[in-house]
Amino acid sequence: ACLLVFSLLCASGWAAQAEEKGAESKAAAAAALGPAETLSGKIALVETKEKLLVVEGAGGVTYSFLVRPATKISSGGQRLKFEELSSRKGASVSVKFVPTRRGNVAQSIEIS
């Protein structure tokens, strides 16, 4: 009887963890305001403290992107750290991002 109770408690704990993970992924999907998009331009500003990248697109219009730990940053196939973007102001860049209520969240940043 004790083994059965322990098994049920463990199973309910795993189910609760699975539900939490499912809820997190549903919340992330619900936060997106549309499908992923790509924007090309030049690096205008890098705010390392706020993890913010500002890109100047066509016609001088600027776009802000929130950079998360999961954001893939690369140049010529080599991985870079976000902080390294500061020294590349003016470089051509392509950003794949997802628009959300809190801002555009960068999924990948490729410097060319």
Side-chain angles (χ1 to χ4, degrees), residues 64-86:
S64 299
F65 301 96
L66 301 170
V67 178
R68 301 289 185 237
T71 303
K72 295 178 179 125
I73 304 170
S74 61
S75 177
Q78 185 178 18
R79 297 284 299 229
L80 299 174
K81 293 181 181 181
F82 176 71
E83 292 76 18
E84 294 178 85
L85 296 179
S86 295

Side-chain angles (χ1 to χ4, degrees), residues 47-61:
E47 286 289 337
T48 54
K49 189 174 180 180
E50 290 85 20
K51 298 284 188 178
L52 185 71
L53 172 68
V54 179
V55 174
E56 183 178 326
V61 178

